[in-house]
Amino acid sequence: MDYLTLKTQIKYLSDQLDRNPIVIRAYDRSGRSIFLRLKTANGIKDLSLCLDAPSQGIWLADHCDDVEKNSLIVRSLNRVIINSKLADIKLAGDEQIGQFDRVVRLHFILIDEFFGNRSDYYIFCEFTGRISDIFFCDSEYKILDRISRTSNNLVGETYRLPDSYKLINPNKSDNSDLLEAFSSISSEWTNKIGFVSPILAKEIEFRLKDSIDTNENRLKVFKDILEESLNSRVYLYKCESKIFAVSAYELKHATDSDVEEFENVNEAMNYIEDSLVG
């Protein structure tokens, strides 16, 4: 899923987990995937963190079955954060300074039951395509463990976001900056404008096919899509039984794909797991 769709999902999860659920235990799943069993005000919930396509992302799973894997990161989590509170879940980047990375930060607070001391821990989930990872960090963002061995963040180092361009924040910038950015070719929009992924850029181009292709019209279509992502259902696109995209806005250019509609991203992710993966 692209940044805009991931942002929609994080808003949903934050609403669902707004009463500081307690971590019961971490478990391994198949592939590069783990889940956290949480005690919430509404019962036991499983929060799935998956790096593998087509289920890459984070969601509250309808059901999670652990595997006999006992990975290093799961052992680390169970040694440290059991009985901690999940204080918040949010996107790790700061949109105010142009960071639009597909990285999710989970913040845990553990209070020592004898001395009352507080310890803070973090999980960073990088949902960035093939080069993705999950990192477990201490209060200073020092990496205690991780799943993969493919990124630049190493165990013992301080976690840092992936290197990326500083982008225009469409919610804060005036139209002149956006119009200038849209004057470039579509392949450059993703390096200039926040929220614009390759698939969103392609959608803008498609929606312009029956109108005059001006910078003003490009901006208008872009803002229409942003508004649509706040109000519409979620779409799951399949091509030859393979997942093409999960999107918070309609992909009108995906004319050769089958589409399913859902109330939210979380439902779509469970559908993928139940119907297409499991």
Side-chain angles (χ1 to χ4, degrees):
M1 64 183 74
D2 66 2
Y3 180 87
L4 191 55
T5 304
L6 181 59
K7 183 173 183 176
T8 300
Q9 171 66 347
I10 297 309
K11 172 63 168 61
Y12 171 86
L13 291 175
S14 296
D15 291 343
Q16 294 294 309
L17 301 172
D18 65 346
R19 297 185 182 180
N20 302 134
I22 305 296
V23 178
I24 298 175
R25 191 170 180 82
Y27 294 91
D28 279 298
R29 301 188 73 192
S30 59
R32 297 186 303 155
S33 178
I34 65 174
F35 70 92
L36 303 176
R37 183 149 289 162
L38 306 174
K39 182 180 180 181
T40 76
N42 297 314
I44 305 301
K45 304 286 185 182
D46 289 332
L47 185 64
S48 182
L49 316 175
C50 180
L51 301 178
D52 296 324
S55 302
Q56 186 176 103
I58 177 170
W59 72 97
L60 288 171
D62 289 342
H63 57 82
C64 278
D65 297 322
D66 61 297
V67 297
E68 295 182 6
K69 187 176 177 183
N70 200 24
S71 65
L72 291 176
I73 191 170
V74 163
R75 277 184 273 172
S76 295
L77 291 169
N78 285 330
R79 187 171 60 250
V80 176
I81 67 168
I82 287 180
N83 295 323
S84 66
K85 292 183 178 180
L86 176 55
D88 67 45
I89 176 171
K90 67 179 187 178
L91 291 162
D94 185 350
E95 293 180 3
Q96 301 299 319
I97 61 173
Q99 294 176 330
F100 290 81
D101 300 285
R102 287 177 293 165
V103 182
V104 177
R105 192 198 78 172
L106 293 83
H107 178 199
F108 302 88
I109 298 175
L110 182 65
I111 305 297
D112 185 279
E113 61 181 2
F114 296 107
F115 301 104
N117 297 327
R118 166 174 167 162
S119 299
D120 292 75
Y121 298 95
Y122 300 89
I123 292 177
F124 289 90
C125 304
E126 294 183 353
F127 301 122
T128 51
R130 290 187 302 106
I131 306 300
S132 56
D133 210 338
I134 295 174
F135 301 88
F136 176 41
C137 303
D138 67 10
S139 60
E140 302 297 324
Y141 290 0
K142 177 183 176 182
I143 299 171
L144 305 176
D145 225 318
R146 52 186 285 195
I147 283 187
S148 301
R149 297 293 182 267
T150 55
S151 64
N152 293 326
N153 287 302
L154 303 177
V155 173
E157 297 181 350
T158 300
Y159 177 79
R160 58 181 176 82
L161 287 170
D163 293 331
S164 59
Y165 295 95
K166 300 300 181 184
L167 306 178
I168 298 170
N169 185 343
N171 293 328
K172 298 295 182 181
S173 177
D174 59 35
N175 285 349
S176 61
D177 289 339
L178 290 168
L179 286 170
E180 181 179 353
F182 274 119
S183 67
S184 58
I185 59 175
S186 61
S187 61
E188 294 182 0
W189 298 345
T190 58
N191 299 328
K192 295 183 176 183
I193 307 170
F195 301 130
V196 178
S197 62
I199 200 168
L200 195 151
K202 190 172 183 178
E203 181 63 20
I204 293 174
E205 287 189 305
F206 182 84
R207 295 191 187 191
L208 285 167
K209 66 182 180 65
D210 294 325
S211 61
I212 300 174
D213 187 5
T214 64
N215 299 338
E216 289 77 8
N217 281 343
R218 291 176 178 182
L219 177 57
K220 180 182 182 303
V221 171
F222 173 56
K223 289 191 171 182
D224 286 345
I225 291 174
L226 293 185
E227 183 68 23
E228 185 181 321
S229 73
L230 299 175
N231 302 306
S232 71
R233 294 166 64 83
V234 168
Y235 304 87
L236 185 149
Y237 293 88
K238 295 178 289 183
C239 186
E240 296 181 352
S241 299
K242 295 183 178 179
I243 299 298
F244 170 66
V246 175
S247 178
Y249 50 92
E250 188 175 2
L251 301 179
K252 297 182 179 180
H253 72 269
T255 55
D256 294 331
S257 300
D258 297 323
V259 60
E260 299 271 356
E261 294 187 28
F262 299 88
E263 290 290 336
N264 50 60
V265 176
N266 208 81
E267 285 189 6
M269 297 304 292
N270 275 305
Y271 172 84
I272 293 172
E273 283 286 287
D274 294 340
S275 301
L276 302 177
V277 177

